[in-house]
Amino acid sequence: MEEITGVIDYGYTPYSEFKNNVEKVVKIKGVIHNIREMSDFAFILIRTARELIQCVYSPEFSEFRLNENIVEQASAKITGKVVKSETRDGSERYELQIHDIEIISSPAAIPPVVISKKQVTCDLSVNLDNRPVTLRNPKERAIFKIQEGIQRGFREYLQSQNFTEIHSPKINFAGAEGGTNVFKLDYFGKTVYLAQSPQLYKQALVPVFERVFEIAPVFRAEHHDTSRHLNEYISMDFEMGFIESFTDIMNMETGALKYIMNLLKTEYTPEVELLKVDIPEITSIPCIRFKDAKELCVKKLKNITDMKDFEPEEEAFLGKWAKQQFNSDFLFVTHYLSKKRPFYTMDDPEDPEVTLSFDLLFRGLEITSGGQRIHDYNEQVAKMKKMGMNPDEFETYLMLHKYGAPPHGGLGLGLERLTMHLLGFKNVRNATMFPRDINRVSP
Ligand code: AMO
């Protein structure tokens, strides 16, 4: 009887091992990314999970002849000899002199967009229409490898700080963030809502695990087509109990961001170099109160009408101001107006007009909202009533407060927004694998 051992090893040599196999014959697998035929030889670039390996075909050492099956996007197994190649910058590079190639899967058609050049140059909408193909381009792919690094860093850092990873339901009895941007769903005749955030559940789990985090999709019915809003995005959330001040949350986020940036530098070097990522140096992050930030904006910018929140231009201005004043790519803005923050936010006991809340701006874009929550039952019920909400509709949420909760707070960090500004994109869709917006639900 055949037995399954949990081991898969077909004897392929990863590119990282080429340096230990110079002049030896090895076996690799991958997709033919690009073929460049010269007069008497050819370069065949093989795309593996993370690299492009340069392979050389020549009748001198190749035991086959180029033919109509050897085409871009075909999957292949290749044997060949590893040789050290010359590079202009003197860095170590290795290539493979192909002895033999076995095509194991052939494409049925030529890709609709050129993906074998250095970058995909078509319009963003064409790029997004053809995402399963355009993501194969190494630069497009690198965006999402970096994004993986951000999530991995967030997870690893919070795990090191004793947070428990959770998954909250995405089909819910109420919208957590209020407003009109909630998707309604017919649920066997009842109206339910797609989760705008894991807010109500992450709070419920504070008395259970003390510290929790979640990385998951959330849904916002954004009615406008903007360059920074998606209808589905990945929210990186955490919630922590026994805080002594809402600045504990800002400290935890600063620690996480330092860890993430360092992880990208050390373990995502190929992608960081390919995309020329300008990784921010973080020692500490400056903080400014909303009121003071607003005053700065009013002094420097014209036509500011909304005194309760920031327009994108104001955030961009504050981003530049933080860079000039503190040489910081990040800025915490604190004490937002009570009127503008959700019902669960704690008001500042010293000035109930404002809240113990914050946003984090990164290079002039809001990437995080967070703050301290109300933990007292009567206080939460009173605030709900003041905001015109019916506490009876939130009975299960209010179990948290009714049956005792420690002082706590947390935050939500938009993964695509962080990726977007880290990589210098103007549109959040560039940093979204398969974006969902008002005009797009496919692919
Ligand atoms: P908020 O609604 O401010 O707060 O969202 C937190 C962060 O999520 C990102 N974000 C978005 N990204 C892309 N498209 C959107 N439509 C979109 N909307 C928001 C932003 C934003 O800063 N429950 C609170 C967080 C908390 O207090 O814990 C919340 O969801 O980066």
Side-chain angles (χ1 to χ4, degrees):
M1 201 180 72
E2 194 183 353
E3 285 184 4
I4 303 296
T5 60
V7 178
I8 304 172
D9 184 2
Y10 294 123
Y12 296 114
T13 302
Y15 182 70
S16 56
E17 279 301 309
F18 274 27
K19 59 177 179 297
N20 301 322
N21 284 283
V22 176
E23 296 301 317
K24 290 191 189 140
V25 173
V26 300
K27 197 165 88 162
I28 65 164
K29 62 169 167 22
V31 176
I32 299 178
H33 183 69
N34 180 243
I35 303 175
R36 254 188 315 142
E37 284 189 55
M38 313 309 240
S39 54
D40 52 355
F41 70 102
F43 289 115
I44 301 182
L45 268 187
I46 296 295
R47 193 175 70 237
T48 64
R50 210 170 170 183
E51 298 103 4
L52 287 177
I53 300 179
Q54 175 149 292
C55 300
V56 186
Y57 160 87
S58 162
E60 258 182 51
F61 45 73
S62 303
E63 293 153 14
F64 62 99
R65 293 295 163 261
L66 290 182
N67 60 61
E68 69 281 3
N69 294 320
I70 302 176
V71 291
E72 288 176 8
Q73 304 311 318
S75 302
K77 292 179 183 176
I78 296 168
T79 49
K81 189 168 79 174
V82 176
V83 291
K84 218 171 168 169
S85 62
E86 302 287 319
T87 56
R88 273 187 224 138
D89 61 0
S91 60
E92 279 191 5
R93 280 261 294 279
Y94 303 89
E95 58 187 32
L96 202 69
Q97 292 184 343
I98 311 180
H99 291 177
D100 207 0
I101 188 164
E102 181 194 348
I103 300 296
I104 53 171
S105 171
S106 301
I110 296 170
V113 186
V114 179
I115 53 166
S116 58
K117 296 273 186 275
K118 281 222 159 83
Q119 61 194 51
V120 174
T121 52
C122 60
D123 280 356
L124 181 58
S125 65
V126 178
N127 179 331
L128 298 179
D129 287 343
N130 293 284
R131 224 36 173 166
V133 180
T134 52
L135 287 171
R136 299 178 185 193
N137 174 268
K139 274 199 169 177
E140 294 292 323
R141 173 172 77 176
I143 299 167
F144 299 98
K145 197 70 189 171
I146 294 275
Q147 196 164 75
E148 181 233 19
I150 296 173
Q151 296 172 68
R152 185 180 141 197
F154 187 77
R155 175 177 282 113
E156 284 182 4
Y157 184 74
L158 293 179
Q159 283 171 340
S160 79
Q161 303 296 309
N162 297 322
F163 280 75
T164 297
E165 183 162 12
I166 57 158
H167 287 291
S168 59
K170 302 300 160 214
I171 300 174
N172 287 329
F173 66 94
E177 306 300 331
T180 54
N181 67 356
V182 55
F183 282 111
K184 280 189 193 168
L185 210 66
D186 174 17
Y187 192 71
F188 309 114
K190 268 195 209 143
T191 300
V192 295
Y193 306 93
L194 285 184
Q196 290 170 299
S197 80
Q199 186 65 36
L200 309 189
Y201 294 93
K202 61 177 181 167
Q203 279 188 256
L205 290 166
V206 167
V208 182
F209 295 113
E210 194 175 310
R211 293 177 165 193
V212 295
F213 77 95
E214 174 164 2
I215 304 174
V218 293
F219 306 90
R220 304 277 171 111
E222 304 291 355
H223 298 280
H224 306 290
D225 193 6
T226 82
S227 60
R228 55 199 205 134
H229 288 98
L230 297 160
N231 288 342
E232 175 177 346
Y233 70 91
I234 304 293
S235 188
M236 304 203 294
D237 276 82
F238 73 67
E239 200 70 21
M240 53 194 273
F242 294 96
I243 56 170
E244 300 206 351
S245 157
F246 77 109
T247 54
D248 293 352
I249 304 151
M250 292 148 72
N251 269 312
M252 190 62 76
E253 178 166 35
T254 306
L257 287 168
K258 283 186 189 179
Y259 184 91
I260 290 168
M261 298 310 160
N262 191 48
L263 187 71
L264 293 181
K265 260 192 218 159
T266 51
E267 298 210 18
Y268 292 77
T269 326
E271 289 79 20
V272 165
E273 284 175 0
L274 184 64
L275 297 175
K276 300 191 173 60
V277 186
D278 178 10
I279 296 188
E281 290 296 332
I282 311 173
T283 41
S284 60
I285 299 182
C287 307
I288 184 170
R289 283 181 168 246
F290 173 79
K291 185 167 77 57
D292 300 332
K294 196 77 194 177
E295 262 171 32
L296 274 179
C297 294
V298 170
K299 253 190 226 159
K300 294 282 174 190
L301 302 172
K302 289 187 191 115
N303 304 329
I304 295 182
T305 46
D306 183 358
M307 295 307 285
K308 299 193 189 93
D309 213 339
F310 293 125
E311 295 290 340
E313 306 75 60
E314 295 175 86
E315 288 183 358
F317 162 73
L318 290 169
K320 285 192 192 123
W321 176 79
K323 190 72 187 168
Q324 276 165 6
Q325 291 289 315
F326 308 103
N327 194 25
S328 175
D329 288 301
F330 292 91
L331 177 69
F332 278 119
V333 181
T334 64
H335 299 91
Y336 279 81
L337 295 179
S338 189
K339 280 184 205 131
K340 294 302 281 187
R341 295 304 259 213
F343 63 89
Y344 49 78
T345 316
M346 188 182 270
D347 291 335
D348 184 349
E350 288 174 16
D351 176 4
E353 294 284 295
V354 300
T355 50
L356 299 178
S357 70
F358 66 90
D359 275 6
L360 180 64
L361 308 187
F362 173 44
R363 296 180 177 150
L365 174 74
E366 177 208 317
I367 58 162
T368 298
S369 284
Q372 182 156 359
R373 326 299 186 185
I374 298 171
H375 55 269
D376 180 79
Y377 179 71
N378 293 324
E379 197 179 327
Q380 182 61 82
V381 169
K383 186 152 183 183
M384 281 176 160
K385 284 185 180 159
K386 194 173 153 194
M387 293 179 83
M389 296 166 67
N390 179 1
D392 293 346
E393 285 172 15
F394 289 83
E395 198 186 337
T396 52
Y397 169 61
L398 286 167
M399 284 176 149
L400 162 75
H401 312 77
K402 198 174 202 172
Y403 303 111
H408 64 280
L411 58 76
L413 168 53
L415 176 62
E416 292 85 352
R417 286 219 188 153
L418 172 55
T419 315
M420 166 191 177
H421 264 214
L422 182 65
L423 303 183
F425 293 128
K426 300 242 173 327
N427 194 320
V428 71
R429 291 162 186 75
N430 283 106
T432 312
M433 231 184 240
F434 296 103
R436 297 296 180 249
D437 62 33
I438 198 162
N439 300 310
R440 181 179 294 282
V441 280
S442 171

